[in-house]
């Protein structure tokens, strides 16, 4: 009977099968089913209803990212609006830590192989430079397009590896302007700490900032304000949707005082015989404003190498070069000044009344100074030649040592006293030496001026009278920079106003609206009578001429160059001698030219320094550069007449 | 016509729930394989799974039509063949996700560990129905343990802990329903607990790791714990109504891995929410309770025990798979029946349901 009625539902009471041993077991089985389903449902309730919001937040954190968008860096123009540096889009390959697998080694090795990086480089970068999980760590900049495309195509095999387009600096003239512009490179910890104060610029530890030159000096101006891109990403970190963008604000552009044509002409002239010099520097200033028209130091480096991410080998080669192409000798090199320093002595002597415009001092070819211990023993101080009786103008023109020995150090037998080393230092400082010009570039040097105490301390020797003589003609102990020499020329040219050398004329924004204009900045009006400045200017003109002063003193200028007499030039040239022989057996002679033109209305003040060059070479370079700058055609060839002519450049 | 009359007892509710579950699964596989890159084109895996479903339902109907007593005759032979296949797969099986589970039959890859569920259930049912009176003997129970133990050992060597465990679930369900004494079951439980430390020692590293991850997924959030965490986030972020079909960020943005197979439940719960998950559980509950009904009405012990074994496998798979998706159980390679992508799993479950239907259709022995 019990089989007649089928069990159609669980709820059916079936008394007749009560003895069936299966029945309780089947109910137990049913209970297990229900309990299992209830347990799952309960946990689902907890996760989805009770804690749903928490997990929703987790999911959102997975998918939303805020990406930093680099702002275009400001570009730089020369004074005539010629572009000197621009931004070029380039591919940067990097990794985002959050997207890398837990063991990233294999992927980093693969990227290394594709990018041609040294073994372990990617891993090292990843370990050292990870700041947060979502910021790209650049592994290589300036990656070529096929490589970038290859990596893009393989993004599924390389989770966490991203190819981004990042602008890099392109320095259009490379080594020609590298010492001015400098370069950008990865920020270091100190720079970061220092730049953090520009809060709105939002500096980060993975940024590239100026490391030298204008790029460093004007870093906060050139840098724009980074933007943000809020995006939704997939698990490999690739953007799937853009949710919002805060556009970056480009940095400000700079208009420099540099005249790129002059810069190029000077550099070309210096480079012509660079193989003979160790280094060569030139600085051209505008005497009326202090604006820097040209600033060159050779050898120079190619700053594009740095912008692209310099390979280790290239960097090592630059560091190993004994001529130090990374250092800007035009502002940071300190050298013996030689004869041009006589201008300081002349200025001091005139102002202090040691000499007057008509004072004549005999220049017999050398100066004999009796020893203070034994008056019968004379020390001979050399001169460039015997010039006869000289006034200050002729002495400056001739670069007559005997004249300035005595104005600086006094008459050997005591007939009149000189300036003395302390007052020389005073006038040197007034005329811009022994102090920083304030050009605003890293690496500027102040030069050096000795003192008796310094000599005692350094050489354990007393300060001899002869030391004052040597200092007076710029031949011992003291050092100056080519920039300071150019400043001296500008100072003489403008008749006594010392300007701060200025590299930037104005800062403009990306709409060409002026943000800031730099006015000429007077460091000091040098307290020297106007008449004295005229005498100094006459002396500088004499330096590039042959003639006779109203006092009857004859001169043939140190920088006299027969081919240059058609231009109105003023200046000096000198061979600064250091009585030391270097390892190669050569005397360490330096050639200087310091001058300005045109001599009546000066437009350019120029200093040229040739390490191991001669003054003749320096003068020739100056002549060719001035000729080029003022567009003066070379004169027809006239054979030089002996005796010289009296018509100068007046 | 005897067989035609049988069809009156074909369990349409059970069949209908299975159809809905398979359709549900296809929808979720479609969503889980939807690539952002290929612009929403139908993934080949959806088509493959649909083809398997079609074959599977044909097999279901075919098996329903067959008298399940034929299976009793074939039970031991099928079991033997399965053991051989499991051995073969160990030797020549393709490597897939670190585990060897497949035999390439040319047409489709066969996963003998899936078929082993059927074989073990049938063989056990046959053995116990033949010797039902000895179920009270402890020694007899231990002997029946050989039926799941042999395939389990071979499956464990693949290695696939989850599927091996199902073998024992089948066995446990069958002997409980067959009437094993509670004393014996208690002793077995005690022995299992006592042997747990030994099992820990015998475990391979990856198994221990999975257990550790289960206990604390955050210990390795980017490694082994990654998918556990991502699955939990997916389920939890679904909320009540879900993120919308094909709109789950966890799955569509690929934060979740192997989402169309073992972790498809997470996709479902994320996109369709608590409501969608409850619908799924309800459908499974229908299948399980209708299966339980078959156990009640079965005309004989063999049918009842076969149904028990097959249902035990499905119950454990549902619990273990969903459990691991929602952080209740450690991760094992157990698929979600009728839902997860995978031909062998789908075919096995549908054939199992066919057997249940066959038992249901023939529950009235003495029909006039």
């Amino acid at each position: 009977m019990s089989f007649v009625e089928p069990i159609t539902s669980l709820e059916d009471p079936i008394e007749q099968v009560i003895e069936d041993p299966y029945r309780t077991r089947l109910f137990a089985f049913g209970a297990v089913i229900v309990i299992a389903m209830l347990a799952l449902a309960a946990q689902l309730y907890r996760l989805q209803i009770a804690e749903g919001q928490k997990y929703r937040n987790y999911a959102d954190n997975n998918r939303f990212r805020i990406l930093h968008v680099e702002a275009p860096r400001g570009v730089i123009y020369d004074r005539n609006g010629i572009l000197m540096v621009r931004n070029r889009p380039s591919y940067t390959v990097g990794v985002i830590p959050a997207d890398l697998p837990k063991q990233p080694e294999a992927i980093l090795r693969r990227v290394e192989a594709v990018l041609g990086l040294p073994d372990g480089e990617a891993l090292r970068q990843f370990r050292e430079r990870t700041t947060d999980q979502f910021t790209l760590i650049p592994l290589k900049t300036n990656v070529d397009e096929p490589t970038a495309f290859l990596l893009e195509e393989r993004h599924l095999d390389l989770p966490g590896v991203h190819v981004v387009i990042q602008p890099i600096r392109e320095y259009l003239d490379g080594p020609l302007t590298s010492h001015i512009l400098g370069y950008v490179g990865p920020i270091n910890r100190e720079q970061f700490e220092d730049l953090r104060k520009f809060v709105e610029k939002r500096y980060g530890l993975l940024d590239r900032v100026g490391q030298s030159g204008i790029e460093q000096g004007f870093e906060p101006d050139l840098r724009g304000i980074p933007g943000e891109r809020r995006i939704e990403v997939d698990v490999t970190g690739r953007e799937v949707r853009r949710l919002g963008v805060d556009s970056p604000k480009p940095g400000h552009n700079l208009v420099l005082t540099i005249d790129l044509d002059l810069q190029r002409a000077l550099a070309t002239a210096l480079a012509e015989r660079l193989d003979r010099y160790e280094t060569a520097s030139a600085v051209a200033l505008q005497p009326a404003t202090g604006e820097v028209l040209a600033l060159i130091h050779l050898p120079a480096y190619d700053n594009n190498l740095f912008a692209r991410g310099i390979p280790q080998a290239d960097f090592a080669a630059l560091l190993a070069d004994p001529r130090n192409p990374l250092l800007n000798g035009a502002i940071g090199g300190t050298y013996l000044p030689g004869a041009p320093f006589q201008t300081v002595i002349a200025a001091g002597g005139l102002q202090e009344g040691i000499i007057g415009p008509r004072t004549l001092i005999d220049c017999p070819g050398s100066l004999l100074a009796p020893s203070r211990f034994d008056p019968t023993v004379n020390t001979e101080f050399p001169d460039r030649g015997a010039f006869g009786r000289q006034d200050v103008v002729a002495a400056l023109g001739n670069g007559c040592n005997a004249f300035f020995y005595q104005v600086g150090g006094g008459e050997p037998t005591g007939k009149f006293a000189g300036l003395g080393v302390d007052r020389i230092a005073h006038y040197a400082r007034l005329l811009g030496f022994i102090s920083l010009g304030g050009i605003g570039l890293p690496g500027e040097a102040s030069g050096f001026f000795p003192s008796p105490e310094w000599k005692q301390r350094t050489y354990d020797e007393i300060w001899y009278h002869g030391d004052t003589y040597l200092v007076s003609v710029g031949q011992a102990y003291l050092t100056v920079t080519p920039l300071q020499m150019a400043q001296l020329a500008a100072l003489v040219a403008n008749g006594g106003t010392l300007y701060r050398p200025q590299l930037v004329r104005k800062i403009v924004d990306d709409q060409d609206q002026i943000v800031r204009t730099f006015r000429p900045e007077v460091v000091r009006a040098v307290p020297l009578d106007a008449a004295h400045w005229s005498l100094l200017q006459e002396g500088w003109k004499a330096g590039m001429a042959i003639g006779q002063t109203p006092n009857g003193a004859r001169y043939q200028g140190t920088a006299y160059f027969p081919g240059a007499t058609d231009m109105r030039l003023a200046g000096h040239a000198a061979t600064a001698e250091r009585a030391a022989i270097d390892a190669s057996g050569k005397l360490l002679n330096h050639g200087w030219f310091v001058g300005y033109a045109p001599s009546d209305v000066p437009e350019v003040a120029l200093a040229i320094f040739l390490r191991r060059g001669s003054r003749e070479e320096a003068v020739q370079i100056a002549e060719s550069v001035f000729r080029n700058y003022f567009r003066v055609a070379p004169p027809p060839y006239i054979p030089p007449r002996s005796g010289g002519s009296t018509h100068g450049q007046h | 016509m005897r067989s035609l009359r049988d069809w009156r007892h074909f369990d349409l509710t059970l069949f209908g729930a299975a159809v809905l579950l398979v359709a549900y699964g296809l929808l979720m596989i479609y969503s889980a394989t939807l690539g952002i890159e290929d612009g929403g084109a139908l993934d080949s895996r959806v088509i493959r799974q649909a083809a398997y479903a079609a074959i599977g339902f044909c097999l279901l109907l075919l098996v329903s039509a067959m008298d399940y007593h034929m299976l009793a005759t074939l039970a031991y032979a099928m079991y033997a063949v399965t053991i051989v296949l499991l051995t073969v797969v160990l030797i020549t099986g393709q490597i897939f996700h670190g585990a060897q589970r497949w035999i390439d039959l040319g047409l489709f890859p066969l996963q003998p560990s899936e078929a082993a569920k059927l074989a073990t259930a049938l063989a056990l049912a046959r053995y116990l129905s033949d010797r039902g009176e000895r179920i009270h003997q402890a020694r007899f129970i231990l002997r029946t343990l050989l039926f799941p133990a042999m395939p389990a050992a071979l499956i464990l060597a693949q290695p696939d802990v989850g599927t091996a465990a199902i073998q024992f679930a089948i066995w446990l369900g069958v002997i409980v329903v067959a009437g094993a004494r509670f004393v014996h079951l208690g002793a077995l439980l005690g022995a299992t607990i006592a042997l747990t430390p030994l099992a820990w020692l015998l475990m391979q590293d990856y198994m221990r790791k999975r257990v550790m991850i289960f206990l604390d997924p955050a210990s390795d959030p980017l490694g082994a714990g990654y998918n556990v965490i991502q699955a939990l986030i997916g389920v939890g972020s679904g909320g009540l109504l879900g993120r919308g079909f094909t709109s789950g960020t966890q799955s569509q943005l690929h934060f979740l891995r192997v989402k169309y197979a073992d972790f498809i439940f997470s996709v479902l719960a994320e996109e369709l929410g608590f409501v969608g998950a409850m619908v799924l559980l309800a459908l499974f509950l229908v299948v399980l309770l209708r299966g339980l009904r078959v156990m009640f009405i079965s005309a004989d012990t063999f049918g009842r025990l076969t149904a028990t074994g097959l249902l035990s496998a499905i119950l454990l798979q549902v619990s273990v798979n969903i459990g691991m998706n929602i952080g209740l159980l450690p991760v094992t390679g157990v698929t979600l029946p009728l839902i997860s992508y995978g031909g062998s799993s789908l075919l096995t479950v549908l054939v199992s349901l066919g057997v249940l239907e066959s038992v249901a259709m023939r529950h009235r022995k003495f029909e006039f």
Side-chain angles (χ1 to χ4, degrees), chain B residues 46-209:
Chain B
V46 181
I47 296 160
R48 283 176 67 94
Q49 185 78 354
Y52 278 123
I55 297 168
F57 281 110
C58 291
L59 284 176
L60 187 155
L61 295 174
L62 205 68
V63 173
S64 307
M66 266 165 48
D67 189 337
Y68 64 92
H69 294 100
M70 268 175 70
L71 295 171
T73 345
L74 292 170
Y76 292 149
M78 283 171 67
Y79 183 78
V81 169
T82 306
I83 296 291
V84 170
L85 285 177
L86 280 171
T87 315
V88 169
V89 85
L90 258 191
I91 298 162
T92 66
Q94 295 175 17
I95 309 271
F96 181 73
H97 281 211
Q100 299 175 326
R101 298 175 185 174
W102 310 84
I103 289 178
D104 198 346
L105 294 183
L107 197 60
F108 61 94
L110 177 78
Q111 209 173 338
S113 58
E114 289 293 337
K117 294 167 189 168
L118 263 170
T120 303
L122 287 170
L124 257 178
R126 164 85 192 274
Y127 192 71
L128 283 166
S129 59
D130 286 356
R131 300 168 180 76
E133 72 286 354
R134 293 174 66 188
I135 192 71
H136 302 299
Q137 300 171 9
R139 198 194 295 164
F140 178 78
I141 289 177
L142 285 177
R143 197 179 301 155
T144 63
L145 198 47
L146 274 176
F147 281 98
M150 277 196 291
L154 290 164
I155 294 165
L156 206 54
Q158 287 181 0
D160 184 353
V161 189
T163 309
I166 289 169
Q167 289 287 324
F168 290 102
I170 293 168
W171 171 79
L172 187 66
V174 171
I175 63 159
V176 167
V177 171
R181 291 167 65 180
F182 286 109
V183 183
H184 294 151
L185 293 173
L188 219 81
L189 185 68
T192 308
I193 292 169
L195 287 174
T196 305
L198 186 67
W200 180 259
L201 287 176
L202 290 173
M203 273 187 189
Q204 295 182 18
D205 278 346
Y206 89 95
M207 302 179 194
R208 286 187 208 151
K209 204 167 175 183

Side-chain angles (χ1 to χ4, degrees), chain A residues 277-486:
Chain A
Y277 322 131
E278 277 182 10
T279 67
S281 308
V283 179
L285 300 173
Q286 193 173 60
T289 58
E291 288 182 356
V292 181
L293 298 173
L295 182 79
I296 295 144
H297 178 76
L298 297 177
Y301 60 96
D302 186 355
N303 41 1
N304 286 310
L305 285 178
F306 288 90
R308 291 169 197 152
I310 189 164
Q312 199 58 40
D314 289 358
F315 190 58
L318 278 174
L319 285 178
D321 190 327
R323 297 177 303 173
N324 248 328
L326 291 174
L327 294 186
N328 182 0
I331 60 167
T334 55
Y335 313 103
L336 268 181
F341 192 73
Q342 293 168 351
T343 298
V344 173
I345 307 298
L350 287 166
Q351 190 66 22
E352 299 288 328
I354 293 166
I355 49 168
R358 276 181 285 280
T359 305
L360 293 168
I361 296 175
D362 197 38
C363 289
S366 68
L367 182 71
L368 292 175
S371 162
R372 71 169 76 171
F373 306 111
D374 179 358
T376 63
V377 176
N378 283 319
T379 308
E380 185 179 0
F381 290 89
D383 203 343
R384 290 186 55 240
F387 303 109
R389 294 174 70 77
Q390 295 276 285
D391 61 10
V392 65
V393 172
L396 280 170
N398 282 319
C400 168
N401 285 348
F403 187 94
F404 293 103
Y405 284 147
Q406 299 179 57
V407 176
E411 207 277 334
T413 57
K415 282 183 192 142
F416 63 87
L419 284 165
V421 67
D422 293 341
R423 280 197 288 180
I424 296 173
H426 171 70
Y427 280 95
R429 200 169 276 119
L430 272 184
L431 270 60
F433 294 102
I434 336 172
S435 51
L436 293 177
I439 193 168
L441 289 183
E444 194 185 354
S446 62
F448 177 75
F449 194 85
S451 69
E453 298 76 40
W454 167 83
K455 195 186 172 199
Q456 189 70 51
R457 204 169 53 239
T458 311
Y459 295 104
D460 197 20
E461 261 183 33
I462 60 160
W463 184 265
Y464 296 114
H465 207 76
D467 291 328
T468 311
Y469 285 162
L470 290 176
V471 165
S472 300
V473 297
Q475 295 289 15
Y477 308 130
L478 76 164
T479 59
V480 302
T481 65
L483 173 65
Q484 286 169 338
M485 290 293 242

